[in-house]
Structure formats: C-alpha cells, structure tokens
Amino acid sequence: MIVRIMGEGQVKLDDSHFVELNELDDELLEEMENGDEAGFRRTLAALLDAVRRMGSPLPDDALEPSELILPAPDAGLEEVRAMLGDDGLIPG
C-alpha cells in the first residue's frame, strides 16, 4: 500500500504492518475524543514514525496514487479531526 504523509512524501508499506498502525490509530482517536492534546501529539508522532520505520520511501518524482493519506507531523487536532473517517485515519 502507498501511504502519503502530508508535507513529506510517499512510503510503500506492507499490509502486514496495519495491525500495529491500527492500534496507534485507535489510541489517537480516543485521545482526540477526550481532547487530550498532549496524548494526541505523542501518538500522532508515534504513528508517523512507525510508518517511516516500517515503510520504504518512494522517490520524490514518483507519481503513485496514495491509498492512505496521513496528516503532517505538525497538524492540529481540528485539522486531523476533519480527516477522520468512521474508523479513524486508517481504515479497519
């Protein structure tokens, strides 16, 4: 799967990593619902770090369609809330 981190670029990520990413996504969703800004910042950073660590960056000139778009590391709580689907940022 191709994942885009806004403001950074694209990463190719194996589907087997989505269990770990979904756990972080669930935690992020809970923190957002509770208005936990510090927890939100910490978990967003952990989610993006996990994508970077587990994925392989695509070249900047690659034009692959992104199947998943994640917010930039400095995105605010309201900005991320606007990106959420029923399942959070990551479907499933």
Side-chain angles (χ1 to χ4, degrees):
M1 174 178 279
I2 304 297
V3 178
R4 173 175 296 283
I5 298 175
M6 294 175 64
E8 288 188 23
Q10 294 178 304
V11 176
K12 184 171 180 72
L13 194 63
D14 190 86
D15 290 347
S16 66
H17 298 297
F18 279 87
V19 171
E20 179 181 342
L21 296 179
N22 272 316
E23 290 173 6
L24 289 167
D25 187 43
D26 290 345
E27 188 176 328
L28 185 70
L29 186 58
E30 184 177 328
E31 291 161 348
M32 290 181 67
E33 289 172 352
N34 293 330
D36 180 358
E37 180 78 29
F40 163 77
R41 288 266 148 239
R42 184 178 53 250
T43 304
L44 178 59
L47 175 65
L48 298 178
D49 286 345
V51 169
R52 292 181 198 109
R53 177 175 36 83
M54 294 185 282
S56 302
L58 294 180
D60 289 338
D61 61 350
L63 297 173
E64 300 290 326
S66 299
E67 298 166 84
L68 179 62
I69 299 174
L70 297 177
D74 61 349
L77 214 144
E78 291 305 316
E79 183 180 351
V80 174
R81 191 181 315 266
M83 295 177 70
L84 291 175
D86 292 338
D87 290 335
L89 291 170
I90 301 172

